[in-house]
Amino acid sequence: EMDAVTGVQTCALPICLAIMGAALIFASNAAHARQTGAPNEAIMGVWANPSGSVRVRIEECGTKLCGVVVYANEKAKADAAKAGTDVLIGINLFREFDRYGRNKWRGKVLVPDLDRTVGGELKPISADTLQVHGCMFGHVGCKNQKWTRVSN
């Protein structure tokens, strides 16, 4: 309806409240989508660990991100085999990573030479540097590594 005095469009209170509620939900969901968004291209690609002994390709795995081992040197393969991981190439080293916050991802990291999966975090520091953080128990036994982007 049009208000005769102000010329402003009006509506019945229940209808107006429903429209305003839907608008707020839409705006909230849109803001959340911008914050969490689809997996960021910034971390997708091939990354090498600090020693260069392992390379992982970060890619979409369903609605999450994972990191598949695409290269491992002989020492890395031998260390993994001693701990019970017979085939290192093709294994998901980074598992079930979800984006949280502005530019971080949380998930699980397989440590093949210990045959353990730990909680982990991925955070791009620059276009070619990725900080990988993992902890054995909560915030105990933590390790940070800076991985470097490599060409496929």
Side-chain angles (χ1 to χ4, degrees):
E1 297 177 30
M2 186 75 72
D3 185 276
V5 176
T6 63
V8 175
Q9 184 73 31
T10 63
C11 60
L13 186 59
I15 294 171
C16 286
L17 289 176
I19 291 170
M20 287 173 47
L24 285 173
I25 290 169
F26 176 80
S28 173
N29 286 343
H32 180 72
R34 278 193 306 276
Q35 179 185 9
T36 57
N40 192 331
E41 295 291 322
I43 69 166
M44 294 177 65
V46 179
W47 299 86
N49 69 349
S51 69
S53 63
V54 173
R55 291 182 183 175
V56 170
R57 182 180 61 247
I58 296 178
E59 60 191 13
E60 291 180 353
C61 295
T63 60
K64 300 180 184 286
L65 291 181
C66 62
V68 179
V69 176
V70 294
Y71 166 82
N73 70 12
E74 293 308 314
K75 182 177 181 333
K77 290 177 189 176
D79 290 346
K82 284 181 198 171
T85 303
D86 294 328
V87 180
L88 191 53
I89 306 293
I91 198 165
N92 276 338
L93 201 68
F94 301 149
R95 301 171 176 187
E96 302 173 14
F97 273 82
D98 280 315
R99 187 169 176 187
Y100 80 99
R102 185 176 172 143
N103 213 19
K104 295 179 184 176
W105 286 258
R106 281 189 182 155
K108 300 173 186 171
V109 178
L110 172 66
V111 184
D113 51 341
L114 298 176
D115 195 28
R116 302 225 25 192
T117 301
V118 301
E121 179 179 291
L122 304 175
K123 180 181 179 185
I125 297 172
S126 71
D128 295 322
T129 306
L130 182 67
Q131 180 175 304
V132 178
H133 176 80
C135 295
M136 296 295 277
F137 309 102
H139 294 289
V140 178
C142 299
K143 185 173 184 179
N144 281 309
Q145 292 184 334
K146 290 186 180 170
W147 289 48
T148 305
R149 185 183 298 276
V150 296
S151 61
N152 296 334

